[in-house]
């Protein structure tokens, strides 16, 4: 089997050379992630590449100093643009007065009409008869499907349609769509719950307007800057069934509750706390996971002191692993030395105990794994359950 030249270099050369290679890989990754957001990260990377192509021999530290002047903190800029809607209207079209950037947050509220078949939210580029569409969000109620796509030069790209949970819209019901911009993708929440993501296919700074059409009546549309996603729902908006307040001591029961489920603790996790989840695996599962984490936001990524994931395959090679998210990344995965106790179609009881040095997880009264603490557990205030399971019951003893 051939050996990659970089592996030879890393083994035979000095540690400093390996560090340079790692930095190069990281910069390529960062440039790819910031290709379309128009922010300083992408511009700095392009400036460095241009400096080197012109024979500039500055060190990495000197390059950083040259590019530092371009750095821009978007969180210092408050973008607020409200589009007054005195009564339900449709269609809706608005020309933006400020450019979109990372941390821009677009909110669309309205009511789906009783005989609706579909409606569309478009972020458009230009104002000609057939403008390009940077982001096309198209709920189709007659198909229970949400299509996402991009139109450039009169050609549609590859359509995306998967969501984090089932179809979130219903005829005659109120809705709130939140479209949040990061450095690499649109994040979309429906009724306060993250629904999907969509990677940029064209620079977001070129977006000039928003169009909403189809079988809905709009009540509010506005643009703002936000540091978190998803944002809290308005006080008068019906609470989401996906967010469940959990008693510090006692049982919270549900009937075939589908995921994602965000269980919100009334107080943070303490030593010797116990969490018990009773549920059932779906008959044709792909995966599910349980997170003990800090907060319910998707962006910025929360700290996750404990992540337990069960993954299934057609070859019946089922896998369980544990991990933690800390300091902007996942750590090393840990695998129990036993077969997975999670069987498609079967019920289970997962019990997690927080001890001073580790978490202990049991399934159906049998030890599953022990996971040493990598992140302080005292900030845990949320349990997230997601994937191919039904949840009957969550019990806490904090």
């Amino acid at each position: 089997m051939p050996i990659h030249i970089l592996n030879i270099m890393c083994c035979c050369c000095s540690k400093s050379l390996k560090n340079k290679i790692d930095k190069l890989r990281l910069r390529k990754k960062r440039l790819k992630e910031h290709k379309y957001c128009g922010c300083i990260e992408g511009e700095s990377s392009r400036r460095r590449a241009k400096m080197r192509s012109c024979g500039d021999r500055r060190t990495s530290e000197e390059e950083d100093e040259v590019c530092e002047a371009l750095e821009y903190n978007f969180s210092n800029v408050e973008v607020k643009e409200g589009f007054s809607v005195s009564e339900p209207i449709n269609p809706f079209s608005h020309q933006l007065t400020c450019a979109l950037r990372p941390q821009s947050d677009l909110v669309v509220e309205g009511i789906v009409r009783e005989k609706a078949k579909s409606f569309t939210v478009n972020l458009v580029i230009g104002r000609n008869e057939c403008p390009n569409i940077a982001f096309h969000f198209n709920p189709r109620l007659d198909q229970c499907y949400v299509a996402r796509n991009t139109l450039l030069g009169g050609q549609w790209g590859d359509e995306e349609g998967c969501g984090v949970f089932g179809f979130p819209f219903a005829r005659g019901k109120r809705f709130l769509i939140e479209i949040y911009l990061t450095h690499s993708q649109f994040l979309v929440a429906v009724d306060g719950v993250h629904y999907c993501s969509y990677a940029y296919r064209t620079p977001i700074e070129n977006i000039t307007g928003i169009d909403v059409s189809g079988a809905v009546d709009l009540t509010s549309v506005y643009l703002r800057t936000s540091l978190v996603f998803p944002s809290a729902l308005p006080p008068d908006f019906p609470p989401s069934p996906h967010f469940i307040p959990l008693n510090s001591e006692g049982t919270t029961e549900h009937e075939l509750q589908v995921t994602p489920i965000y269980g919100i603790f009334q107080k943070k996790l303490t030593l010797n706390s116990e969490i018990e989840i009773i549920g059932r695996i779906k008959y044709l599962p792909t995966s599910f996971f349980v997170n003990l984490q800090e907060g319910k936001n998707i962006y910025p990524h929360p700290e996750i002191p404990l992540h337990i994931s069960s993954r299934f395959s057609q070859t019946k090679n089922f896998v369980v692993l544990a991990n933690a998210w800390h300091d902007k990344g996942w750590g090393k995965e840990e695998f129990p030395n036993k077969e997975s106790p999670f069987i498609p179609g079967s019920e289970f009881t997962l019990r997690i105990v927080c001890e001073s040095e580790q978490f202990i997880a049991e399934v159906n009264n049998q030890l599953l794994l022990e996971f040493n603490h990598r992140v302080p557990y005292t900030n845990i205030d949320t349990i997230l359950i997601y994937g191919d399971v039904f949840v009957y019951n969550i019990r806490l003893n904090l």
Side-chain angles (χ1 to χ4, degrees), residues 38-72:
C39 79
I40 183 55
E41 187 64 47
E43 182 61 31
S44 294
S45 297
R46 285 186 285 271
R47 176 69 67 87
R48 291 186 180 100
K50 185 176 180 180
M51 288 161 56
R52 289 190 291 271
S53 66
C54 295
D56 199 316
R57 300 304 179 187
R58 290 183 175 91
T59 65
S60 298
E61 291 74 15
E62 290 171 334
E63 288 179 8
D64 290 336
E65 292 177 1
V66 171
C67 298
E68 187 176 2
L70 296 171
E71 293 188 0
Y72 195 78

Side-chain angles (χ1 to χ4, degrees), residues 67-79:
C67 298
E68 187 176 2
L70 296 171
E71 293 188 0
Y72 195 78
N73 184 0
F74 289 112
S75 63
N76 293 333
V77 179
E78 276 296 319
V79 176

Side-chain angles (χ1 to χ4, degrees), residues 66-313:
V66 171
C67 298
E68 187 176 2
L70 296 171
E71 293 188 0
Y72 195 78
N73 184 0
F74 289 112
S75 63
N76 293 333
V77 179
E78 276 296 319
V79 176
K80 291 185 179 180
E81 187 168 348
F83 321 128
S84 178
V85 180
S86 58
E87 59 184 29
I89 61 171
N90 184 286
F92 174 88
S93 181
H94 181 84
Q95 190 81 6
L96 297 173
T97 59
C98 56
L100 297 182
R101 53 171 61 94
Q103 297 181 350
S104 292
D105 194 32
L106 180 66
V107 179
V108 179
E109 293 186 59
I111 300 172
V112 181
R113 294 175 184 171
E114 291 289 350
K115 297 182 179 180
K117 290 186 177 181
S118 69
F119 68 95
T120 300
V121 178
N122 286 335
L123 300 184
V124 300
I125 301 172
R127 276 295 160 189
N128 50 39
E129 293 184 0
C130 298
N132 289 333
I133 301 174
F135 184 44
H136 170 77
F137 185 80
N138 176 214
R140 303 171 185 175
L141 288 95
D142 54 345
Q143 302 175 12
C144 291
Y145 175 79
V146 181
R148 283 93 66 188
N149 212 331
T150 295
L151 179 68
L152 297 175
Q155 299 292 322
W156 287 105
D158 293 333
E159 185 173 283
E160 299 180 15
C162 294
V164 170
F165 54 97
F167 188 71
F169 301 97
R171 294 179 174 91
K173 298 296 184 180
R174 184 179 175 186
F175 67 86
L176 186 150
I177 299 171
E178 180 182 5
I179 302 176
Y180 186 79
L181 284 70
T182 71
H183 290 280
S184 59
Q185 61 188 341
F186 298 103
L187 299 177
V188 182
V190 179
D191 299 343
V193 184
H194 174 60
Y195 179 71
C196 66
S197 59
Y198 186 84
Y200 299 146
R201 302 184 187 180
T202 189
I204 59 174
E205 61 189 5
N206 294 338
I207 296 172
T208 58
I210 173 174
D211 291 345
V212 183
S213 60
V216 293
D217 295 310
L218 296 182
T219 56
S220 178
V221 182
Y222 53 94
L223 175 66
R224 63 190 177 190
T225 296
S226 178
L227 301 180
V228 299
F229 169 88
S231 298
L233 290 171
D236 63 336
F237 202 91
S240 170
H242 295 279
F243 293 96
I244 301 171
L246 299 176
N247 297 323
S248 298
E249 295 183 4
T251 299
T252 303
E253 295 186 2
H254 311 279
E255 294 183 0
L256 288 177
Q257 176 68 43
V258 296
T259 63
I261 294 176
Y262 292 84
I264 311 301
F265 300 170
Q266 301 304 302
K267 63 178 183 179
K268 294 184 178 182
L269 206 69
T270 58
L271 184 63
N272 297 323
S273 294
E274 294 185 17
I275 302 169
E276 185 178 82
I277 303 166
I278 300 176
R280 176 169 64 82
I281 312 295
K282 293 184 178 180
Y283 283 104
L284 296 173
T286 300
S287 66
F288 79 91
F289 67 78
V290 175
N291 284 350
L292 298 185
Q293 62 186 49
E294 179 183 352
K296 61 183 185 298
N297 295 326
I298 300 296
Y299 182 91
H301 200 292
E303 292 283 284
I304 305 175
L306 178 63
H307 166 84
I308 298 177
S309 175
S310 179
R311 302 173 185 177
F312 305 86
S313 68

